[in-house]
Amino acid sequence: MARVTVFSDARRRREWSDEERLEILREAFAPGAVVARVARRYDVSRGLIYIWRREAMRRAQSAFAPAVIEDAAALEPACGPAAEPEAAIVLELADGGRLRISASAPPALAAAALRAVR
């Protein structure tokens, strides 16, 4: 049975908070999820869910800052042992490289860099 939402004030559209949008997006694009079922559960258009995902991806791409991957063994002979800059996260990669994320990096940026190396 279809559900009808009636707005009694001056608003013409329902407004979704960022938290609600993220919750819907996580649920809709979780492994094995069906976007249409999630859309029905939250009474939102499937197309709107895809628009929200596209907007979120654009925001994530515009917030991208390059991470520097360095090979410590290759740098030491040319530069000598130098003082390492402050890093909040240091990842040792399987090929001997090292990924450093500065302590001053925004938390969302650091999380995106960590997801990229997984």
Side-chain angles (χ1 to χ4, degrees):
M1 177 182 267
R3 183 172 41 169
V4 176
T5 305
V6 178
F7 294 106
S8 59
D9 58 0
R11 293 182 308 158
R12 303 295 271 182
R13 298 178 182 177
R14 188 172 8 177
E15 294 178 13
W16 299 90
S17 70
D18 290 339
E19 293 80 24
E20 290 171 322
R21 289 180 184 195
L22 284 173
E23 178 185 340
I24 293 170
L25 287 173
R26 282 189 195 113
E27 191 172 328
F29 296 104
V34 178
V35 175
R37 288 184 188 153
V38 175
R40 277 193 299 271
R41 187 173 320 122
Y42 288 96
D43 192 28
V44 64
S45 162
R46 287 177 299 162
L48 188 55
I49 291 176
Y50 287 105
I51 289 171
W52 289 346
R53 180 176 70 165
R54 198 174 19 224
E55 288 173 355
M57 292 173 74
R58 270 195 210 120
R59 272 189 245 128
Q61 288 173 350
S62 68
F64 176 77
V68 177
I69 299 177
E70 59 186 47
D71 183 1
L75 291 177
E76 282 187 20
C79 304
E84 295 186 0
E86 177 187 348
I89 301 171
V90 178
L91 295 174
E92 299 289 336
L93 303 175
D95 64 358
R98 192 177 292 163
L99 171 65
R100 297 169 195 238
I101 299 174
S102 166
S104 62
L109 179 62
L114 290 173
R115 282 192 302 273
V117 253
R118 284 188 194 170

